[in-house]
Amino acid sequence: MPDSSSYPLNIVILAAGKGTRMHSSTPKVLHKLAGTSLLAHVINTAESLNPSKIIVVYGYGGEAVPQAFAGKNITWVKQTEQLGTGHAVQQTVPYLDTDATTLILLGDVPLVSADRCKSLIEAAHQQLALLTVIKPEPKGYGRIVRNEQCLPQRIVEEKDATEAERAIKEVNSGIIAVANTHLKNWLTRLDNNNAQREYYLTDIVAMAANDCVAINAEVCDDEWQVTGINSKLDLAAVERVYQTRLAQKLLQGGVTLHDPARLDIRGSLTTGQDVEIDVGCIFEGEVTLADGVKIGAYCVIKDASIGANTIVAPFSHIDQATIANDCRIGPYARIRPGTELNTAAHIGNFVEIKNSQIDTGSKVNHLSYVGDTTVGKNVNIGAGVITCNYDGVNKSRTVIGDNAFIGSDAQLIAPVTIGANATIGAGSTISKDAPAGELTVSRGRQVTVPGWKRPVKK
Ligand code: UD1
Ligand code: MG
């Protein structure tokens, strides 16, 4: 058999349907699974197959669907009226390459794997290949009707099926691969003489049987790969399966998950050795945890890399930050975009850090806001210190030199520089640069008023 990879591949993704049962104004294919839209999952799989073309048929929700994928190399084809899956594929005919094989994917079947698709594409060379699945509860699906030699003859939709056909448990996943020469011909012959008055793509199977074109039905042994999402119930079920599989991969790679059922990954999580993750954590975007990192319960970590042996205590949020090794963060810390923590920095409870660099060994342990600030090495920032980085219009930077000590409850009004080894007295409001090595204090002198009496009730 010739190697199918030497023939061009077209991929058509059907995504025009409304998804009535989602009860949402958002088109079904834009609903999210693991933080990524259903259609994006399918497009990612399609891209990994290196097709010469990806064609997406859209309709319900109008331009919102193509807009969600701006910049992608996709041919968008609008199906103004949803007259059936066959009608949807008919819209793509002008874009199909004559000598290619087309793989038809469904925008609401997000978990089909690239390997599964590859094998279907190979089986379709010059022919037709169907991905089927055995469903103990086949209701709602098209049934695969086979002849005495067990060869597929046609697909009958639930609404058109006889009692006997409805008993068939092998169903159509909707994912089909077919040689374009045949597909183009068959599409011209579709009609809507059926219970739903729709143009069924599935009618091409009977045409293939009639034309003596081989029909290869591959039975998928993993039901979830071909599960379509029609409701929020389906979405929640597929989300759990997806998360369980991600958790299993992490466990297999040696990560300790205190409970694999209480972890959500919405993007990609890369882990080193001896990483430990407590319950209820959410990882979004691209997160890297180096060797020995420990993440406490209920942390939300997005687009961040965390260095070896750093400990993130419970209820901490980290977003778009780079954190070196041996740091301690939290509990209840908020690390915002643009933060870089160098080795062994400590960020404690109720501390917010934004767009700041904190150098080696420096500590901000309690109740502080540090924004747009460069902090040197071994600096101690006392409880309740605020960098006043915003004058209502512009943001300004604060610079704190190595070994500085900022007393509790000081306010540093940016732009301002605190020199190396400087000490700032507790409660000071610093609006001018503080020199290196000196104590700077700005506050009223303490007085005691002799004989002062508390007011009494009149
Ligand atoms: C379809 C199959 C059925 C299969 C089932 C698997 C047909 C006739 N039936 O049935 O054999 O078991 O999928 O889930 O193909 N779509 C369009 N335009 C349309 C109609 C549908 O783009 O005019 C898209 C939908 O957005 C969806 C996909 O095609 O992504 C499938 O459509 P759906 O209406 O769910 O088909 P089913 O009746 O479930
Ligand atoms: Mg469906």
Side-chain angles (χ1 to χ4, degrees):
M1 202 169 125
D3 174 11
S4 65
S5 62
S6 56
Y7 293 87
L9 171 66
N10 295 163
I11 296 181
V12 168
I13 303 173
L14 302 186
K18 175 170 187 229
T20 313
R21 282 169 286 167
M22 297 297 274
H23 299 293
S24 166
S25 58
T26 302
K28 174 161 77 177
V29 293
L30 295 186
H31 283 267
K32 287 183 173 172
L33 172 74
T36 305
S37 72
L38 297 177
L39 184 53
H41 283 274
V42 181
I43 288 174
N44 289 343
T45 305
E47 284 176 339
S48 76
L49 295 165
N50 294 317
S52 59
K53 243 175 226 170
I54 297 175
I55 304 164
V56 181
V57 182
Y58 72 106
Y60 181 79
E63 303 309 309
V65 177
Q67 272 159 15
F69 298 90
K72 287 240 173 212
N73 188 10
I74 289 171
T75 305
W76 294 96
V77 176
K78 191 162 187 175
Q79 185 194 24
T80 341
E81 264 187 299
Q82 283 82 59
L83 303 179
T85 51
H87 180 259
V89 180
Q90 278 172 347
Q91 312 310 303
T92 70
V93 168
Y95 307 96
L96 298 179
D97 299 321
T98 314
D99 55 349
T101 298
T102 289
L103 171 70
I104 298 165
L105 299 175
L106 306 185
D108 58 356
V109 180
L111 294 193
V112 68
S113 74
D115 284 345
R116 182 57 72 189
C117 294
K118 273 183 206 150
S119 114
L120 201 68
I121 295 159
E122 262 156 45
H125 183 64
Q126 305 289 326
Q127 303 167 341
L128 173 65
L130 310 172
L131 187 59
T132 73
V133 61
I134 309 296
K135 285 239 178 218
E137 300 285 342
K139 195 165 188 285
Y141 288 85
R143 310 295 205 281
I144 310 295
V145 181
R146 292 177 180 257
N147 66 11
E148 299 81 47
Q149 287 83 47
C150 213
L151 298 171
Q153 293 302 290
R154 60 196 170 88
I155 294 176
V156 60
E157 292 303 307
E158 167 94 20
K159 290 195 175 126
D160 302 290
T162 63
E163 200 70 18
E165 287 164 342
R166 283 185 193 177
I168 299 171
K169 305 246 186 295
E170 186 185 6
V171 304
N172 173 30
S173 71
I175 296 171
I176 291 175
V178 52
N180 282 358
T181 41
H182 294 306
L183 178 63
K184 287 189 181 190
N185 168 7
W186 293 330
L187 286 173
T188 61
R189 287 152 60 187
L190 292 180
D191 63 46
N192 65 351
N193 299 327
N194 54 55
Q196 303 186 84
R197 311 302 295 161
E198 279 185 13
Y199 295 87
Y200 292 162
L201 176 65
T202 44
D203 284 352
I204 68 172
V205 178
M207 294 179 194
N210 265 326
D211 294 354
C212 298
V213 173
I215 304 163
N216 302 301
E218 295 211 347
V219 185
C220 185
D221 51 7
D222 175 5
E223 194 186 332
W224 292 105
Q225 280 203 35
V226 293
T227 296
I229 289 172
N230 293 311
S231 65
K232 291 288 173 79
L233 287 166
D234 295 337
L235 186 58
V238 172
E239 176 83 34
R240 275 311 104 207
V241 169
Y242 188 79
Q243 294 298 342
T244 302
R245 291 180 178 185
L246 292 178
Q248 281 165 353
K249 263 193 212 143
L250 290 174
L251 291 166
Q252 277 157 4
V255 174
T256 300
L257 299 176
H258 289 222
D259 182 356
R262 283 183 288 168
L263 167 76
D264 287 87
I265 299 172
R266 301 173 188 158
S268 80
L269 176 61
T270 310
T271 49
Q273 240 180 14
D274 297 311
V275 166
E276 208 174 306
I277 301 172
D278 209 334
V279 302
C281 293
I282 300 175
F283 297 92
E284 298 178 338
E286 304 252 320
V287 176
T288 305
L289 308 178
D291 293 351
V293 166
K294 288 189 172 59
I295 308 292
Y298 303 103
C299 289
V300 178
I301 302 180
K302 181 181 178 192
D303 293 318
S305 84
I306 300 186
N309 302 312
T310 284
I311 295 175
V312 182
F315 299 101
S316 295
H317 286 209
I318 300 176
D319 183 6
Q320 296 171 59
T322 307
I323 292 161
N325 44 317
D326 299 307
C327 292
R328 292 171 151 273
I329 295 168
Y332 303 101
R334 181 167 182 217
I335 312 281
R336 293 175 53 201
T339 297
E340 291 166 36
L341 303 186
N342 211 339
T343 307
H346 288 193
I347 306 300
N349 43 235
F350 306 107
V351 170
E352 176 180 348
I353 312 277
K354 187 214 76 171
N355 190 31
S356 295
Q357 294 74 46
I358 314 272
D359 212 340
T360 306
S362 289
K363 294 174 185 164
V364 193
N365 271 335
H366 325 271
L367 300 156
S368 280
Y369 171 67
V370 174
D372 302 311
T373 300
T374 305
V375 178
K377 296 184 176 60
N378 299 314
V379 169
N380 188 36
I381 295 185
V385 169
I386 306 286
T387 57
C388 309
N389 60 331
Y390 185 52
D391 60 10
V393 187
N394 296 305
K395 300 262 168 77
S396 303
R397 286 200 76 84
T398 299
V399 177
I400 303 175
D402 294 347
N403 300 305
F405 181 97
I406 314 295
S408 293
D409 203 28
Q411 301 103 52
L412 310 179
I413 302 179
V416 71
T417 298
I418 311 298
N421 295 298
T423 302
I424 302 298
S428 294
T429 301
I430 302 295
S431 55
K432 293 191 283 267
D433 290 354
E438 306 286 358
L439 168 66
T440 301
V441 192
S442 86
R443 59 180 186 230
R445 229 163 247 241
Q446 180 167 327
V447 291
T448 300
V449 180
W452 183 82
K453 293 275 186 298
R454 287 187 187 173
V456 292
K457 198 160 187 147
K458 286 184 189 138

